[in-house]
Amino acid sequence: MRKKIVAGNWKMNLDYTAGLSLFSEVLNMVNDEVRGDQEVIVCPPSLFVYSLAQLAKQNSRVSVGAQNGHQADSGAYTGEISASQIKSAGAEYVILGHSERRQYFAETNQLLAEKTNAALKNDLKPIFCIGETLDERNQNIHFQLIKTQLEEGVFHLSAEEFAKIVLAYEPVWAIGTGVTASPEQAQEIHAFIRSEIAAKYGAEVAQNTTILYGGSCNPKNAAELFSQADIDGGLIGGASLKSRDFTDIIKAFNK
Ligand code: 13P
């Protein structure tokens, strides 16, 4: 069966001391909450990855991820971080294709395909984000857009490689806005994503793929979202910055 995951994306928030203390709280609080098929991932700013990964060693159900990685192995790319560097600092995951990277750093599906390859080559599991803007939804082109993001970003992978990735559906209009996709809206897209995976890689791979929902997910709406057949957890922004909210979202699996 596929894994259930709650992942926190801290984005560019918190200083080092606050980050360490939040993570320590999360480690203490989630201990009794995470069941056998569940995993918690925290994606801090990359400067904190090493320290958090050291702390996470005591807890087999909590891992650390980066928020972005470069496509090249190494070289003259001032300010960038490679997948092998992220891995060597102790991370297991890397978020790729977040809408903020697509929007503010002009990351295209083609570039993201290269970043995905670099991550997998270095044994780092991508949390690959897809999702439409409000404008695209209003134009009713969101299904096609998501299909293209999958086809160009990750469908070049072999079935064996694809089995290592986690997908996150994050409608851009729901990110940081307080407007959550309704459970039905999210489920409709998640089912569509799973059917596209089945068409490409077969039913078994599709059934085993973890697909997270992200966008204004909070302790109040998490249980209903996570109870949908094709929603396997969440990618949490704002609510991952508060240990109690984040833990309450994790608890939503067991409601
Ligand atoms: P919010 O939970 O703050 O809406 O952010 C979602 C997100 O972008 C997670 O990657």
Side-chain angles (χ1 to χ4, degrees):
M1 254 328 261
R2 54 187 182 257
K3 244 190 215 171
K4 307 272 185 192
I5 294 176
V6 171
N9 174 10
W10 289 0
K11 309 191 179 183
M12 198 173 72
N13 292 300
L14 305 174
D15 66 17
Y16 185 77
T17 313
L20 246 61
S21 110
L22 171 61
F23 191 64
S24 303
E25 281 171 30
V26 168
L27 281 179
N28 288 334
M29 291 169 85
V30 301
N31 252 341
D32 301 327
E33 306 299 339
V34 192
R35 311 261 165 99
D37 59 345
Q38 300 167 0
E39 185 173 353
V40 174
I41 306 167
V42 172
C43 303
S46 42
L47 265 180
F48 313 170
V49 163
Y50 177 77
S51 303
L52 266 55
Q54 291 292 316
L55 288 172
K57 276 185 182 166
Q58 351 149 350
N59 192 320
S60 61
R61 301 226 185 277
V62 181
S63 349
V64 175
Q67 298 173 13
N68 175 37
H70 197 268
Q71 64 277 21
D73 286 339
S74 62
Y77 300 101
T78 301
E80 289 288 331
I81 306 173
S82 72
S84 70
Q85 290 170 329
I86 295 166
K87 179 74 186 181
S88 72
E92 296 293 324
Y93 290 89
V94 61
I95 297 173
L96 293 177
H98 193 281
S99 62
E100 288 148 19
R101 300 289 319 172
R102 292 177 187 263
Q103 185 183 349
Y104 304 132
F105 301 92
E107 296 196 355
T108 61
N109 292 330
Q110 288 69 24
L111 174 71
L112 293 166
E114 288 181 47
K115 290 189 171 208
T116 301
N117 294 344
L120 290 171
K121 190 175 146 196
N122 289 284
D123 205 19
L124 206 52
K125 289 173 257 183
I127 301 172
F128 194 89
C129 303
I130 55 182
E132 81 286 357
T133 61
L134 186 59
D135 193 39
E136 287 155 349
R137 180 168 275 262
N138 287 340
Q139 287 179 58
N140 207 22
I141 56 170
H142 47 304
F143 288 99
Q144 183 53 49
L145 179 106
I146 285 163
K147 187 174 172 165
T148 305
Q149 288 176 331
L150 288 169
E151 283 174 350
E152 296 182 354
V154 288
F155 278 2
H156 63 286
L157 299 173
S158 68
E160 198 189 325
E161 289 167 331
F162 186 83
K164 295 181 183 142
I165 76 168
V166 171
L167 290 175
Y169 168 58
E170 296 207 310
V172 180
W173 47 272
I175 296 177
T177 57
V179 181
T180 322
S182 69
E184 296 73 27
Q185 278 174 324
Q187 166 59 24
E188 182 185 36
I189 301 285
H190 281 235
F192 171 72
I193 293 168
R194 207 177 297 287
S195 72
E196 290 299 312
I197 299 168
K200 170 74 185 171
Y201 294 108
E204 196 184 335
V205 172
Q207 278 313 313
N208 288 331
T209 303
T210 297
I211 310 176
L212 308 180
Y213 167 78
S216 298
C217 190
N218 61 42
K220 289 206 179 84
N221 58 31
E224 205 183 346
L225 284 161
F226 296 176
S227 68
Q228 303 298 310
D230 291 293
I231 302 183
D232 307 313
L235 181 54
I236 320 297
S240 73
L241 298 171
K242 295 188 188 130
S243 53
R244 179 150 307 279
D245 284 358
F246 190 55
T247 312
D248 284 347
I249 292 173
I250 295 159
K251 285 186 196 166
F253 275 137
N254 305 324
K255 277 190 180 151

